Amino acid sequence: MQYQGLFWSAIIRALLSLRRDLSINDDRDITILDNVAALESGNLPEDTLANVIKALCPINHRQQLSRSLIGYFDFNKMSNLVVLLTASKHIDDALCVMGKQYRHLLGSAADLTITRDNDTTSLVFNVGKHAILTDMRCYFLLALFRHLAGRKFDFQSISLPLNNEDPLLASLTKATIKPSSKQVTLTFESKWLTHPSFFYSQSIQKMLSSTLEEKDDVPLKQQIKAVFQQAASPARIRTEWVASQLGQTESALRRQLRQESISFSALLKEFIHDQSCHLLLSGVKTDDAADQLGFADRRSFERSFKEHTGISAGQLRQIGSRLRFQKGNGNLLGVVENLPPLPNSIQRLLNMDEDEMTLPKVVSLIERDPIFQAHIMSKASRAIYGTPPKSLEQAIGRNLGLGNIRHLAVIFAAQQLLTSQCRFTQISQLTDSMLLSSELFNALFGFNKLTEDEGEQIKQLLLFGTLSLFLIFHDECLFADGALTNWEASESFADFVERINENYGICLYGATSLMLLRWGFHSAINQQLWKLCNPEASADLQNLPEQIRFCHNIAFSTLMKKASPLTLASEVELTAEQTKGLAVVISKWETSAP
């Protein structure tokens, strides 16, 4: 469904009708009407669209058109998405829908954020390439909000590109209009948010919500990756084939890729070599992997793989031999294969590009998952994170940190998905220990001493490295009872890790890689987990693997074995400052929020 095509088609038809009634139409109107079909199918370039709108809204008729055009809008012809918006309870209800669908109305690069306080609400989105299209989008929003809240609705202030032209909004609004080159800001009184709409229809909402194509909620990258998954030979994928699977022409897809600054070849290489890593880590021979992926021969596969990953296919297979299991571990593979996928809200959070990771967007996404939201609020209330938050915005932006929310999402997802199948009774303490280990590392060794990429990887190893506890305590794990017995018999977490390795041939850290591969994580962290396996006892905390294992031992042993952190730390060499930092972190963690 080409939502943007239908949207602009309806606007052009409204303009043509109004121009005819005002007797200002000319021969161009017939020519423009001929282009509407191409527009509805998504084949009209944006530059052409902008020229069409400009031709239909000449400066000398701008005010006249502005006053009357709102009455010619036919929302029913603007796509199911717009009809769904018009059937909302109120503006606030409509904004919840727009929060995930806005690209279809405001453009693929709009990056909409909605900010609210007690008195005002503001919609902020990026200015498009063509001022006339941005102007028309703002005009539409005013028309939509008046449809929902009544004709008295108005913006308090407006910022948008003017280009020395009268904006279409000028004849409809009393708001002050200011020039802006980069972003549009539409501000109105928050009291309008919950004005009830007389056009609210629950039956229409229910019907249209189910007809909206789910892929349109998903960023273009994810849509393309989903198509990649359907290919029998990924190395032979071509743009034309992907476009046909998405129901559009190759030129239309290439235009979308340019608009969103996406490299198709880079995206495909990343997908191919993620598949490569999965096959090689799972024990597939290099020749067979090359054949399954559609490469012409082994040599071309190995060359491509090394260019992308920096290591050879053979080296990765050696890593895989460490991550694959010896005696009791075949059963774990079956447990992993039956793991449910990550919840949709968490999957979408993990797939967000860095430039999409804004606080309003993340909050809006998490608000739709009440279980995840409850986890966030609970953990953020720990004294170690500061003053207890009063809102989800504070919990993420001030206490936990926007940069950490993806990591926390994976931990909470594992807890949410696997609690009912886990024989271990202290699930929340397992996840608390994972979180505490990261705080301990920061206090003792410091993330600020690492590069950004190193810090990200160490955080993942600290937080995700022990997720396999959910596997070995799983109902379907053949040695779950034995794992529980070993847990009770262990004096510390390090002792437990060693017992599990000796008795069942399990590397706790290596087992985690199976879960991460199941949930689509890149190979980088999986390649690092094996370095944490089979540790040699050492009091030297100069290397990162030993530091990570030390933080895990302190966190799990202190919270779950009630061991003394200072006693555990006495086995290694800590400075006086580190010892003090350790005591402070543990004390704050054990202090519940008031």
Side-chain angles (χ1 to χ4, degrees):
M1 178 68 71
Q2 296 292 338
Y3 292 117
Q4 287 198 53
L6 292 175
F7 175 76
W8 288 110
S9 167
I11 287 178
I12 289 174
R13 292 179 189 275
L15 282 166
L16 290 171
S17 298
L18 176 56
R19 283 168 57 85
R20 178 195 58 199
D21 291 349
L22 293 174
S23 298
I24 61 173
N25 56 318
D26 53 40
D27 293 341
R28 290 180 301 175
D29 291 36
I30 301 300
T31 303
I32 288 171
L33 185 60
D34 292 338
N35 285 322
V36 170
L39 177 61
E40 290 177 348
S41 65
N43 294 326
L44 196 66
E46 186 176 344
D47 291 345
T48 304
L49 172 62
N51 290 332
V52 167
I53 300 295
K54 281 184 178 180
L56 294 177
C57 298
I59 298 298
N60 57 324
H61 293 298
R62 186 70 58 89
Q63 291 187 4
Q64 190 179 19
L65 292 169
S66 171
R67 285 193 298 267
S68 303
L69 180 60
I70 191 170
Y72 281 74
F73 273 2
D74 187 347
F75 291 129
N76 293 331
K77 296 293 193 299
M78 290 184 174
S79 79
N80 286 355
L81 173 57
V82 174
V83 176
L84 176 61
L85 292 173
T86 63
S88 300
K89 291 181 181 179
H90 37 56
I91 292 175
D92 195 33
D93 190 21
L95 291 179
C96 288
V97 176
M98 285 186 62
K100 60 179 181 179
Q101 300 274 10
Y102 67 86
R103 289 182 180 85
H104 303 301
L105 302 176
L106 304 180
S108 58
D111 195 22
L112 174 69
T113 58
I114 301 170
T115 58
R116 310 176 186 185
D117 58 34
N118 293 331
D119 299 320
T120 61
T121 296
S122 294
L123 278 63
V124 182
F125 57 94
N126 292 336
V127 169
K129 178 181 177 182
H130 301 283
I132 187 66
L133 301 185
T134 300
D135 191 7
M136 187 63 78
R137 286 166 173 142
C138 295
Y139 189 96
F140 162 77
L141 289 174
L142 180 58
L144 173 65
F145 293 165
R146 285 188 175 176
H147 168 84
L148 295 173
R151 291 187 178 184
K152 292 184 179 180
F153 172 88
D154 201 357
F155 295 121
Q156 278 189 327
S157 63
I158 301 169
S159 297
L160 75 166
L162 299 180
N163 290 355
N164 298 318
E165 299 177 359
D166 289 333
L168 286 165
L169 283 169
S171 297
L172 290 186
T173 182
K174 296 180 180 178
T176 302
I177 302 178
K178 300 178 180 179
S180 173
S181 60
K182 294 184 178 181
Q183 287 188 315
V184 172
T185 303
L186 305 174
T187 301
F188 58 90
E189 292 180 276
S190 294
K191 68 179 184 180
W192 291 109
L193 285 171
T194 53
H195 268 233
S197 170
F198 296 122
F199 299 98
Y200 169 57
S201 172
Q202 187 175 21
S203 60
I204 290 178
Q205 283 196 323
K206 183 177 181 180
M207 176 184 68
L208 294 182
S209 294
S210 62
T211 62
L212 292 179
E213 295 179 66
E214 183 177 350
K215 75 174 185 180
D216 289 309
D217 290 344
V218 180
L220 181 59
K221 278 187 180 180
Q222 289 175 247
Q223 293 183 40
I224 293 174
K225 287 180 179 180
V227 173
F228 288 167
Q229 292 283 357
Q230 303 170 24
S233 302
R236 299 175 185 174
I237 289 175
R238 297 296 180 265
T239 314
E240 182 180 7
W241 178 79
V242 173
S244 68
Q245 297 301 304
L246 292 174
Q248 55 184 295
T249 64
E250 183 179 5
S251 60
L253 176 58
R254 289 189 181 279
R255 184 163 56 251
Q256 279 188 280
L257 292 168
R258 287 195 301 270
Q259 289 172 349
E260 299 193 25
S261 300
I262 297 173
S263 168
F264 182 86
S265 60
L267 199 62
L268 180 57
K269 284 182 180 179
E270 179 183 333
F271 174 80
I272 290 172
H273 293 299
D274 278 349
Q275 297 297 304
S276 303
C277 290
H278 179 76
L279 292 172
L280 295 169
L281 287 169
S282 300
V284 175
K285 294 180 179 179
T286 305
D287 284 328
D288 293 337
D291 183 60
Q292 289 184 41
L293 292 168
F295 282 88
D297 52 42
R298 171 175 176 160
R299 181 176 298 178
S300 60
F301 167 63
E302 289 186 323
R303 182 172 58 252
S304 177
F305 184 83
K306 188 165 187 178
E307 286 176 358
H308 186 79
T309 64
I311 63 174
S312 70
Q315 287 174 311
L316 187 60
R317 287 194 76 242
Q318 289 179 0
I319 292 174
S321 68
R322 298 193 182 209
L323 295 176
R324 289 191 307 278
F325 303 118
Q326 303 164 12
K327 36 188 180 181
N329 294 291
N331 173 244
L332 285 186
L333 292 169
V335 175
V336 170
E337 286 303 315
N338 291 318
L339 287 179
L342 291 172
N344 184 55
S345 58
I346 290 176
Q347 188 64 61
R348 291 174 66 183
L349 178 63
L350 294 176
N351 286 329
M352 274 188 177
D353 290 333
E354 288 301 321
D355 55 358
E356 288 185 298
M357 284 284 292
T358 63
L359 183 58
K361 282 189 176 182
V362 171
V363 168
S364 175
L365 181 60
I366 294 175
E367 281 177 337
R368 301 187 185 99
D369 187 335
I371 298 176
F372 186 20
Q373 182 174 352
H375 280 309
I376 291 288
M377 295 300 295
S378 173
K379 301 305 181 186
S381 296
R382 286 283 183 184
I384 198 168
Y385 294 123
T387 306
K390 296 180 180 179
S391 65
L392 185 58
E393 288 87 345
Q394 288 185 356
I396 298 172
R398 185 192 67 192
N399 290 44
L400 298 174
L402 186 62
N404 293 323
I405 204 64
R406 280 188 174 126
H407 305 142
L408 303 180
V410 176
I411 294 175
F412 297 154
Q415 178 179 344
Q416 178 180 334
L417 293 172
L418 301 175
T419 292
S420 61
Q421 292 86 27
C422 191
R423 296 191 188 183
F424 197 82
T425 58
Q426 299 171 292
I427 296 295
S428 62
Q429 287 189 327
L430 283 180
T431 55
D432 271 356
S433 300
M434 296 172 192
L435 298 175
L436 176 56
S437 66
S438 181
E439 297 300 320
L440 286 169
F441 185 93
N442 191 39
L444 297 177
F445 310 110
F447 288 112
N448 58 355
K449 299 177 181 178
L450 306 171
T451 66
E452 184 176 349
D453 288 343
E454 288 174 338
E456 175 71 12
Q457 189 172 87
I458 297 305
K459 284 180 182 179
Q460 290 184 355
L461 292 171
L462 286 161
L463 293 167
F464 302 165
T466 55
L467 280 178
S468 57
L469 290 170
F470 286 104
L471 292 181
I472 64 175
F473 292 135
H474 196 281
D475 261 339
E476 296 180 8
C477 178
L478 294 178
F479 50 87
D481 288 336
L484 288 170
T485 300
N486 278 277
W487 177 269
E488 295 298 328
S490 301
E491 295 182 359
S492 67
F493 183 69
D495 183 21
F496 172 71
V497 171
E498 187 175 349
R499 285 172 180 262
I500 291 295
N501 198 334
E502 289 180 356
N503 294 333
Y504 303 106
I506 298 279
C507 165
L508 195 69
Y509 297 105
T512 294
S513 70
L514 291 180
M515 294 179 69
L516 298 184
L517 285 169
R518 170 70 175 85
W519 285 337
F521 275 75
H522 295 305
S523 59
I525 183 173
N526 298 303
Q527 294 177 34
Q528 293 299 319
L529 281 167
W530 71 274
K531 294 181 179 180
L532 300 176
C533 293
N534 302 319
E536 297 179 1
S538 172
D540 181 11
L541 296 181
Q542 297 303 309
N543 63 80
L544 287 171
E546 194 65 42
Q547 292 171 0
I548 292 169
R549 289 191 294 266
F550 175 75
C551 290
H552 280 153
N553 188 38
I554 295 290
F556 282 89
S557 300
T558 300
L559 295 190
M560 307 191 70
K561 295 290 184 180
K562 304 305 177 185
S564 165
L566 297 181
T567 300
L568 292 168
S570 66
E571 300 175 3
V572 298
E573 297 180 1
L574 292 181
T575 65
E577 184 178 357
Q578 286 176 320
T579 302
K580 180 180 178 181
L582 171 62
V584 169
V585 170
I586 296 296
S587 176
K588 284 187 176 181
W589 189 270
E590 293 179 339
T591 303
S592 297

